[in-house]
Amino acid sequence: MNDNPHASENAHAEQEVLSLHQLLARAIAAVDNMEEAFGVFGLPNLWSLTKPEVRRQVLLLAAWEARTATAAELASPTSAGQYAWVFTQYASLWAEQHPDGDAEGFCAGPHPARHAASSLAFDRDDFLLSLETALHLASRAAPTEGA
């Protein structure tokens, strides 16, 4: 038995990130467009109740998985689309600089993407922008094993 409460909290937060990330991917796959996905499964309400730290990690994980998306695939005149493009560029550059790196390293590392994701995830006044950005990224994420 693990007597370290921080380890248990970290495992719970990690599971929350993965579950929310999978839910976003399923929501975007279940509908024809971004606008429909926005309301699927009560995502805005769920996103508003999610801790900002978890939202940040979801954004980073989705960016990592979408790092090979092209500008045309993420083309959107919206702020969320522009954020999504920037996040994929950060992830792509990080992957080039860390050829043996993985999602865990990218999501944990101190770099511009983490700072940008924090800024977006902790913005309580416009939290829907971070949700829309996460959905843009989820729509272009490479398929993951077990999904």
Side-chain angles (χ1 to χ4, degrees):
M1 181 172 164
N2 188 349
D3 293 329
N4 183 350
H6 295 294
S8 177
E9 289 174 22
N10 288 342
H12 176 71
E14 187 175 312
Q15 183 57 47
E16 189 177 357
V17 168
L18 293 174
S19 295
L20 186 53
H21 176 65
Q22 290 173 348
L23 179 63
L24 294 177
R26 286 185 180 126
I28 200 71
V31 296
D32 294 331
N33 59 54
M34 187 72 60
E35 292 76 27
E36 281 184 74
F38 212 66
V40 171
F41 303 115
L43 291 179
N45 188 44
L46 179 62
W47 195 253
S48 74
L49 297 172
T50 301
K51 291 179 183 177
E53 296 85 357
V54 171
R55 291 195 304 255
R56 175 188 59 217
Q57 293 305 103
V58 169
L59 285 164
L60 290 170
L61 180 57
W64 176 258
E65 291 184 355
R67 70 189 178 280
T68 60
T70 65
E73 290 173 322
L74 285 167
S76 172
T78 67
S79 294
Q82 293 169 5
Y83 272 114
W85 174 242
V86 169
F87 281 126
T88 59
Q89 294 304 290
Y90 281 140
S92 178
L93 179 61
W94 191 89
E96 286 178 23
Q97 294 171 345
H98 303 86
D100 294 329
D102 59 10
E104 186 176 333
F106 175 71
C107 292
H111 47 69
R114 186 173 175 85
H115 301 301
S118 289
S119 177
L120 194 57
F122 280 80
D123 184 351
R124 283 285 186 192
D125 294 330
D126 196 11
F127 73 93
L128 292 178
L129 177 59
S130 60
L131 172 57
E132 188 177 348
T133 301
L135 285 169
H136 271 285
L137 291 166
S139 74
R140 294 298 170 221
T144 56
E145 291 182 30

